[in-house]
Amino acid sequence: MKKKPNILLITSDQQHWNTIGAFNEELHTPNLDRLVREGTTFARAYCPNPTCTPTRASIITGMHPSQHGAWTLGTKLLEDRHTVGEDFRAAGYRTALIGKAHFQPLKSTEEYPSLEAYPVLQDLEKWKRFDEPFYGFDHAELARNHTNEAHVGQHYALWMEEKGCANWRDYFLAPTGTMDPNQTYKWPIPEQYHYNTWIAERTNAMMEQYRENDEPFFLWSSFFDPHPEYLAPEPWDTMYDPDSLTIPGAAPGEHDRNPPHFRMTQEDDPDFSAWKESGYGIHGYGSHNEYVYGDRKKLTDYDRKKLVAVYYGMISLMDKYIGRIMDKLDDLGIAENTVVVFTTDHGHFFGQHGLQQKGGFHYEDLIKLPFIVRYPGQVPAGAVSHSIQSLVDLAPTFLSFCDIPIPHAMTGVDQKDVWLGRKGSARDHAICEFRHEPTTIHQKTYVDERYKITVYYNRTYGEIFDLQEDPGELSNLWDDPSYAGLKSELLLKYIWAELGKEAMPMPRIWHA
């Protein structure tokens, strides 16, 4: 009887697609490079939403954010939503999540309680006793902070205490900790207490347990880096020379034909009040000339270089611990029977188009992803595929590899034959959604082999880019009269794509 394959999903957080050393000589990522050599890199992978909660919920539901309901940051994936972990558990798999979840907000209400909210995330006695299924994972070890954020707590804080780091609060911001909020780039936390160390150690412990018990597993190893704040412990904070790196920037006049919020980001004090609807923060809708952590200050030329250098250092540090996980697969003798996927939840700006971090700007920098699949002897090694992938495809594809029925409600597509090299493509487009306010920030992007179109709710502006002739996305064709026919065609294709991704929870079984 054929042994069921294991599924190991390794994700970073907010990683630009072109930050793997195998394809970018300015970075050092030997372990990701190894995955590139031993697996297939998919160069056209996209997120369904360029923020954490919606995309991460899509990974475990196989549905787009507009379908599973966790439509933006500050919302939650409701507990009644079906997740892929439930399918794996029903098929006899063990399921675990180690690291970042972000399926729930940092605030809890009576109607919408959150396990990832204050004060519960810092109730360490509760987390010592935590032993309950979490969105289909029968085992979850969680944290919520990126670098030195005050949200630190849960299993990560417990682990630091267990490791003897009694002063762990020194490395995190108030009110939880005492670290100076204006300290940038160098994080004084010793590497041995960094969450990368924790994630790799606990991932490896779970795999040891599953191997010892001869249990198939679906395991998500979920890293927090290189999501800003730009902080790395020694020596990773100085691994890259800022003056030797290529620092992206805006091209003169590139936003002249873009929607107004693009141009406004290049101002020093833009007024985005017209976009504010819920009263909560609107990511990316502010000046991108400022450093947004600690005391807001103007980005200097040094900052623009140094933040890239530290961002790369964070990736290289994470790569080291991804290597620890890959080595453990080998040591346990289960690498040959484990499908490994490395990707991220969404991309990142570090100067491209004059932008920083993320927001309502669906350039490839933000919505395209690093994406590697390794399954020795099954997935072609050393290959690069340009077939379009979406993170909504992960859940149905994982199930397909394990011969587990795919729920009809999942709207992602099964990419198994594409990953195995038997088929050229499984989809001809991807949809990326960004609904960050109920009506004022609501946009969707359709991207196919050559073109990209972005439409905005109740707005007559938009974007069209020809990715073949204009890969840098510098020339918006939306209002160009000579492309009116293309615009009509892409709008129709976008509508077809929306119709095509409607969920069908069951097949039609009779005439009436």
Side-chain angles (χ1 to χ4, degrees):
M1 182 177 175
K2 183 181 177 182
K3 195 175 182 68
K4 294 180 179 179
N6 307 306
I7 303 292
L8 175 60
L9 173 62
I10 303 174
T11 57
S12 58
D13 190 351
Q14 200 162 314
Q15 183 176 354
H16 189 276
W17 65 267
N18 191 29
T19 52
I20 294 177
F23 306 105
N24 183 344
E25 63 182 11
E26 293 189 356
L27 279 97
H28 182 68
T29 56
N31 296 293
L32 291 177
D33 295 356
R34 174 189 171 190
L35 283 178
V36 169
R37 290 192 307 272
E38 297 176 355
T40 296
T41 301
F42 291 91
R44 294 293 305 279
Y46 290 92
C47 64
N49 184 291
T51 56
C52 295
T53 297
T55 274
R56 289 170 175 273
S58 289
I59 288 173
I60 61 171
T61 61
M63 303 181 79
H64 290 78
S66 57
Q67 298 165 330
H68 59 59
W71 56 278
T72 193
L73 298 171
T75 69
K76 70 183 289 187
L77 181 64
L78 297 176
E79 286 85 352
D80 63 357
R81 299 303 191 255
H82 183 82
T83 66
V84 70
E86 297 171 50
D87 300 308
F88 275 108
R89 293 178 72 197
Y93 274 68
R94 297 297 304 275
T95 61
L97 168 63
I98 307 295
K100 178 173 178 174
H102 204 165
F103 304 140
Q104 300 184 352
L106 284 166
K107 182 177 180 180
S108 189
T109 69
E110 186 174 346
E111 185 176 6
Y112 301 108
S114 172
L115 273 174
E116 299 189 59
Y118 287 92
V120 68
L121 68 83
Q122 294 178 331
D123 182 353
L124 299 190
E125 290 303 314
K126 174 184 175 63
W127 294 104
K128 284 180 184 177
R129 303 187 305 269
F130 183 78
D131 184 24
E132 59 191 67
F134 185 67
Y135 290 104
F137 297 102
D138 51 43
H139 182 85
E141 297 183 36
L142 307 174
R144 186 54 194 272
N145 58 293
H146 307 100
T147 61
N148 66 341
E149 286 179 336
H151 317 321
V152 61
Q154 296 172 291
H155 296 97
Y156 174 45
L158 286 172
W159 176 84
M160 285 189 286
E161 292 188 351
E162 290 167 2
K163 292 295 179 180
C165 186
N167 67 323
W168 60 267
R169 294 178 185 272
D170 293 349
Y171 310 124
F172 300 92
L173 296 177
T176 307
T178 59
M179 184 174 165
D180 181 356
N182 294 306
Q183 180 168 340
T184 57
Y185 305 127
K186 179 181 177 179
W187 192 11
I189 192 170
E191 184 181 329
Q192 69 191 94
Y193 302 127
H194 193 279
Y195 44 53
N196 287 350
T197 312
W198 165 63
I199 291 167
E201 179 181 297
R202 295 305 304 149
T203 295
N204 289 349
M206 295 308 301
M207 292 196 299
E208 283 183 355
Q209 176 183 316
Y210 299 146
R211 177 66 181 88
E212 183 178 334
N213 297 331
D214 197 26
E215 296 171 314
F217 61 83
F218 166 53
L219 173 57
W220 184 357
S221 184
S222 182
F223 287 85
F224 295 84
D225 284 356
H227 186 297
E229 159 75 325
Y230 301 103
L231 285 169
E234 293 181 317
W236 307 92
D237 60 317
T238 57
M239 177 177 180
Y240 294 96
D241 176 8
D243 291 321
S244 68
L245 301 176
T246 302
I247 309 300
E254 70 166 285
H255 294 310
D256 291 350
R257 291 191 287 178
N258 284 343
H261 64 288
F262 286 77
R263 296 189 296 273
M264 292 169 68
T265 63
Q266 306 306 293
E267 301 170 6
D268 286 341
D269 189 24
D271 180 8
F272 279 104
S273 58
W275 280 262
K276 291 189 175 182
E277 185 175 10
S278 65
Y280 301 112
I282 48 177
H283 284 67
Y285 287 71
S287 175
H288 285 232
N289 300 325
E290 292 182 332
Y291 195 89
V292 300
Y293 287 89
D295 290 341
R296 296 187 73 98
K297 65 183 181 69
K298 187 89 168 178
L299 277 171
T300 64
D301 287 341
Y302 170 78
D303 289 321
R304 294 182 190 279
K305 296 177 181 180
K306 184 63 177 178
L307 65 85
V308 178
V310 176
Y311 184 75
Y312 286 1
M314 294 166 76
I315 292 170
S316 291
L317 172 58
M318 178 180 64
D319 178 85
K320 172 182 175 179
Y321 288 90
I322 290 173
R324 295 264 178 99
I325 295 170
M326 304 309 298
D327 289 344
K328 177 59 71 169
L329 276 174
D330 291 337
D331 294 344
L332 294 173
I334 57 176
E336 298 297 310
N337 195 48
T338 301
V339 180
V340 176
V341 172
F342 170 78
T343 188
T344 193
D345 53 0
H346 54 81
H348 180 67
F349 296 114
F350 47 92
Q352 296 89 346
H353 307 283
L355 301 172
Q356 296 290 336
Q357 301 195 34
K358 59 193 174 194
F361 322 97
H362 283 186
Y363 291 115
E364 298 287 274
D365 303 285
L366 187 59
I367 70 172
K368 197 167 79 166
L369 317 167
F371 194 100
I372 312 167
V373 180
R374 188 190 77 169
Y375 188 15
Q378 303 288 329
V379 170
V384 176
S385 170
H386 293 276
S387 66
I388 294 176
Q389 307 282 317
S390 173
L391 294 183
V392 298
D393 302 338
L394 287 177
T397 305
F398 288 157
L399 294 174
S400 182
F401 267 92
C402 301
D403 295 322
I404 301 171
I406 299 169
H408 294 293
M410 287 187 178
T411 56
V413 303
D414 178 2
Q415 297 272 5
K416 179 181 177 181
D417 285 341
V418 179
W419 291 9
L420 292 174
R422 299 172 182 166
K423 189 177 174 183
S425 63
R427 58 163 68 245
D428 62 7
H429 69 273
I431 293 282
C432 183
E433 308 174 339
F434 185 62
R435 189 174 189 179
H436 202 37
E437 290 279 37
T439 64
T440 58
I441 303 177
H442 188 186
Q443 68 198 70
K444 292 190 181 183
T445 292
Y446 165 96
V447 57
D448 64 19
E449 183 178 348
R450 178 170 178 175
Y451 296 105
K452 174 190 288 184
I453 185 169
T454 301
V455 296
Y456 295 80
Y457 181 60
N458 285 343
R459 298 290 187 269
T460 57
Y461 54 64
E463 297 127 52
I464 295 174
F465 292 107
D466 182 342
L467 298 177
Q468 176 179 296
E469 300 300 319
D470 179 28
E473 298 176 276
L474 301 178
S475 180
N476 182 8
L477 306 175
W478 179 271
D479 287 322
D480 190 327
S482 62
Y483 289 92
L486 174 65
K487 182 177 179 178
S488 296
E489 178 185 341
L490 291 175
L491 286 171
L492 185 57
K493 285 184 174 180
Y494 161 67
I495 294 169
W496 289 343
E498 282 292 330
L499 293 172
K501 75 176 178 66
E502 289 181 0
M504 291 189 291
M506 67 168 285
R508 189 177 184 189
I509 59 173
W510 198 239
H511 305 298

